[in-house]
Amino acid sequence: MSAISEFSCESCGSLVQVEAHLRTAACPYCASPAVIERPLEAGRPAPLFVLGFVVPHERALAEARRWIRRRWFVPEALRKAKVESIRGIYVPSYLFSAAADASYTAQIGENYTETYTTTNSKGQTVTRTRTRTEWRSLSGRYAAYVSDIVVTASRGISNHELEGVEPFDLRALHRYTPRLLSGWIAEEASLPAEQCRELAVSESMTEIQRRVAAHLPGDKQRNLQVQAHLNDIEQELLLVPVYVLPVRYGDDEVVRILVNGQTAKVHSKLPRSWTKITVIIILVVILAAIGGYLATRS
Ligand SMILES: [Zn+2]
């Protein structure tokens, strides 16, 4: 990368690096103009891995536009907002792996069919069957290796948002070289590593819980309690390719559409227009009333 400058966003806290010719007047994450240029700090850890962009800019833009157009219930100001400033950003994240040693307790249900006799509405005795479940307690240990957990290291994009465009195809992992970032915006890891680790541990626990549940026998299960210890934790800095489209509309509202730069998967949590929803409900009620009226006349 040649002639890099770095700026921090006062609005969302991101730390973005751009080549001089890509410099923008607004934050690529939140479109806030409150960006301050700052000197590059030396000695910060360089990313170990990079996932490259596969989806071209035009396609990401087209996917984002299609996504907005299909959302009927978003505020009109948002649907009409200009969808132009989509930027490809190498978002800092951590690739996390650990060996998990878990113990669990659960109740396992086995279904069986029971035959019984009853009296029907005509007073006759009939034989019927019903499914019953017999519950028993089960406890055990479960050892597993969790890997490929990706969590945000960016203040600009929450982990929840990043999960929205996951998964990334980690088979395409490259060792980081600055050359790979040429022509793109990249962000420094702006969240503390310990905070990211907590996110990763929490995601790992969810994953272990899911795997234990899938591994349990029986027809049903309930009260699953899993306790896991994580060992051999590895947490490596990884840059992931994400197109970010911040849309400012109305009274300084910002929504953001993310497009996975590898798979073109789109994610956004768009606000709903209650005016539109109310109008639709009223129309449906009127149509139902007309329908009912016509039905009584025919
Ligand atoms: Zn920002």
Side-chain angles (χ1 to χ4, degrees):
M1 271 172 119
S2 58
I4 307 164
S5 63
E6 180 169 278
F7 60 80
S8 63
C9 170
E10 297 205 305
S11 181
C12 73
S14 62
L15 278 178
V16 177
Q17 292 183 355
V18 286
E19 289 174 46
H21 67 279
L22 292 172
R23 198 169 306 163
T24 51
C27 171
Y29 284 122
C30 71
S32 163
V35 290
I36 301 172
E37 202 162 329
R38 34 184 277 167
L40 265 180
E41 256 177 56
R44 262 189 292 204
L48 193 63
F49 301 113
V50 185
L51 285 175
F53 275 90
V54 176
V55 175
H57 186 269
E58 306 75 53
R59 178 160 171 229
L61 188 57
E63 296 285 345
R65 283 185 173 142
R66 190 175 316 150
W67 173 269
I68 292 197
R69 268 203 312 272
R70 283 193 192 148
R71 299 296 179 283
W72 292 101
F73 292 125
V74 303
E76 210 47 31
L78 178 58
R79 281 195 78 199
K80 294 208 172 115
K82 276 194 193 153
V83 180
E84 281 168 354
S85 63
I86 196 162
R87 306 292 296 258
I89 306 179
Y90 277 108
V91 176
S93 67
Y94 281 104
L95 181 61
F96 182 93
S97 64
D101 180 17
S103 58
Y104 63 85
T105 58
Q107 287 193 296
I108 304 298
E110 304 281 2
N111 291 345
Y112 63 95
T113 308
E114 190 183 67
T115 310
Y116 65 103
T117 53
T118 183
T119 314
N120 70 10
S121 56
K122 291 175 188 154
Q124 299 155 324
T125 302
V126 289
T127 304
R128 296 221 168 105
T129 58
R130 64 184 161 206
T131 301
R132 294 248 169 172
T133 305
E134 186 177 281
W135 293 95
R136 65 189 167 90
S137 296
L138 182 72
S139 64
R141 295 186 80 80
Y142 183 82
Y145 185 71
V146 284
S147 59
D148 298 359
I149 304 266
V150 174
V151 293
T152 186
S154 163
R155 280 191 200 279
I157 292 185
S158 72
N159 200 44
H160 186 73
E161 271 189 288
L162 192 62
E163 278 177 359
V165 292
E166 283 180 47
F168 290 96
D169 182 0
L170 294 165
R171 289 170 302 180
L173 218 59
H174 287 284
R175 281 259 156 191
Y176 169 83
T177 61
R179 191 174 45 81
L180 286 170
L181 307 191
S182 177
W184 300 92
I185 298 174
E187 198 202 344
E188 285 271 342
S190 50
L191 276 182
E194 311 78 64
Q195 197 175 327
C196 302
R197 187 184 175 109
E198 281 171 29
L199 293 172
V201 166
S202 149
E203 267 191 39
S204 304
M205 292 301 180
T206 308
E207 170 67 11
I208 293 161
Q209 177 107 11
R210 193 189 61 74
R211 287 200 213 167
V212 171
H215 141 105
L216 289 180
D219 300 310
K220 290 175 181 174
Q221 50 181 261
R222 66 186 184 195
N223 300 340
L224 174 62
Q225 304 275 346
V226 180
Q227 300 221 295
H229 290 285
L230 298 180
N231 307 304
D232 305 331
I233 291 177
E234 289 198 49
Q235 183 177 336
E236 308 285 9
L237 206 51
L238 159 72
L239 295 176
V240 291
V242 181
Y243 284 99
V244 182
L245 174 73
V247 186
R248 279 191 178 254
Y249 70 98
D251 295 332
D252 214 25
E253 312 258 16
V254 186
V255 293
R256 194 159 37 197
I257 298 168
L258 302 184
V259 183
N260 185 317
Q262 231 186 355
T263 64
K265 184 179 176 191
V266 184
H267 170 79
S268 184
K269 195 168 176 348
L270 298 178
R272 281 154 198 253
S273 159
W274 290 106
T275 319
K276 281 191 185 179
I277 292 170
T278 311
V279 168
I280 296 281
I281 290 171
I282 291 171
L283 279 178
V284 168
V285 169
I286 291 172
L287 285 175
I290 294 173
Y293 173 68
L294 291 177
T296 55
R297 279 171 50 109
S298 61

